[in-house]
Amino acid sequence: MSLQESYNTLTVEINNKVAHIVLNRPDELNSMNVDFWHEFPSVIQEINHQSAARAIVISSTGKHFSAGMDLAVFSANNNDDNIELGRKHEQLRRLVLKLQDCFNVLETVRMPVLVAIQGGCIGGAVDMVTAADCRYCTSDAFFSIEETKLGMTADVGTLQRLPKLISIGLVKELAYTGRRMPAAEAKQAGLVNQVYDDHGSMLSAVLGIAAEMAARSPLAVAGCKEMINYARDHSVADSLNYMSVWQSGMFQPQNDMMEIFTAKAQKREPQFAELLQIDPTKIF
């Protein structure tokens, strides 16, 4: 694939159909500066558009996963004092929507997104990881809705997605206080799938889980992601109805299912066709 070779805030490597994106500003605690907000959604979308991987793993470097929004981002749009108040606030609303879209891509891309978290996962980083499909962490990890301590309300997805993952009472406690939720509590609450002793063992395990996902039919896995996310936001009746529509169009047993049966008979691993690439510049 022809992903950009270098980024200012992250690195990307694709092996055996698994893309590994690494936040790479450890000296700045992987805080999310202006470059990050351009690069992160861009690389996720590019992987999706090119069908370059069947699973994505996001990890980080240094002591902490991410300290959240870099304070420089807050001052990046402060040179608009002479703008009429209504128009200024309309512009701010569009900025918030753009920031939300940077993490919405984790839900809208066709492949699973897994996040491996060490140390602090703070503020905007919680917005990010709650948009992923699966979360894993080290025993020293902690999660903090830090925005409350800064005198603001978290606005990039935490308050919308976290109540779908853990109890709403616990979400309210975390949001109102801004306290740290340690790894053991996060596991007990269902926020993370598993806790590991150290960063190395976590990465090895998570990349292994991603490899298992990548070995399955990409169409079947994409269907699972679509249906589970839809069911989260709709009634059971609506979700069952949508499932029938999806299955009537996407389920083609003569292709992937027959390949699985054939591969078993021939004692080999099944080989699946990739999902078609997406060209966002074209309508037809």
Side-chain angles (χ1 to χ4, degrees):
M1 65 174 292
S2 57
L3 279 176
Q4 180 180 321
E5 292 186 1
S6 62
Y7 299 89
N8 293 324
T9 65
L10 50 86
T11 62
V12 188
E13 189 175 274
I14 300 178
N15 290 305
N16 300 319
K17 306 185 187 303
V18 174
H20 187 189
I21 300 172
V22 183
L23 309 185
N24 197 27
R25 298 177 69 238
D27 293 341
E28 293 78 23
L29 305 181
N30 296 299
S31 58
M32 300 168 174
N33 62 5
V34 173
D35 285 343
F36 168 86
W37 293 100
H38 291 287
E39 294 178 352
F40 182 80
S42 176
V43 71
I44 298 285
Q45 287 284 34
E46 198 166 355
I47 292 168
N48 185 50
H49 290 161
Q50 296 186 23
S51 298
R54 295 182 184 177
I56 299 173
V57 172
I58 300 170
S59 70
S60 184
T61 50
K63 183 178 180 180
H64 296 293
F65 177 76
S66 173
M69 183 83 77
D70 191 302
L71 294 180
V73 175
F74 289 104
S75 59
N77 289 285
N78 279 350
N79 55 349
D80 54 4
D81 291 337
N82 295 324
I83 298 177
E84 184 269 327
L85 198 58
R87 287 162 177 79
K88 179 178 180 179
H89 290 176
E90 188 275 336
Q91 181 185 51
L92 176 59
R93 176 179 180 271
R94 284 188 288 109
L95 171 62
V96 173
L97 290 173
K98 286 177 67 176
L99 294 176
Q100 291 173 354
D101 281 343
C102 291
F103 295 149
N104 289 345
V105 296
L106 301 182
E107 288 189 332
T108 58
V109 295
R110 296 170 290 174
M111 59 283 298
V113 179
L114 293 71
V115 186
I117 302 153
Q118 87 284 0
C121 181
I122 298 168
V126 180
D127 293 310
M128 178 206 291
V129 305
T130 54
D133 293 284
C134 305
R135 288 152 295 279
Y136 308 85
C137 74
T138 55
S139 57
D140 68 346
F142 63 87
F143 302 82
S144 175
I145 305 174
E146 199 78 4
E147 289 87 347
T148 310
K149 296 179 181 177
L150 300 177
M152 63 176 290
T153 302
D155 56 2
V156 191
T158 291
L159 302 184
Q160 292 69 40
R161 293 187 172 100
L162 197 56
K164 307 286 188 177
L165 300 172
I166 64 177
S167 77
I168 193 167
L170 182 55
V171 174
K172 289 181 176 181
E173 178 189 315
L174 294 169
Y176 298 167
T177 64
R179 75 166 176 87
R180 294 180 175 184
M181 170 192 261
E185 183 183 1
K187 173 67 165 61
Q188 182 180 25
L191 178 59
V192 298
N193 292 18
Q194 192 58 262
V195 178
Y196 299 92
D197 290 336
D198 54 62
H199 189 260
S201 60
M202 172 180 67
L203 262 187
S204 178
V206 174
L207 288 169
I209 294 167
E212 284 191 63
M213 295 175 180
R216 309 297 175 232
S217 159
L219 182 59
V221 173
C224 289
K225 179 167 182 172
E226 181 80 13
M227 291 305 110
I228 293 169
N229 285 347
Y230 187 91
R232 178 196 62 192
D233 300 329
H234 296 80
S235 70
V236 172
D238 287 345
S239 301
L240 287 170
N241 184 59
Y242 186 29
M243 182 73 247
S244 72
V245 175
W246 175 277
Q247 202 74 330
S248 65
M250 308 302 175
F251 180 51
Q252 303 293 325
Q254 70 274 19
N255 295 324
D256 288 3
M257 183 177 285
M258 188 56 65
E259 166 61 14
I260 291 172
F261 294 154
T262 302
K264 284 184 177 179
Q266 297 176 353
K267 297 181 179 180
R268 61 172 175 83
E269 293 298 317
Q271 301 297 316
F272 302 110
E274 303 299 341
L275 297 178
L276 296 182
Q277 295 187 13
I278 301 169
D279 187 343
T281 67
K282 292 184 178 180
I283 298 176
F284 302 106

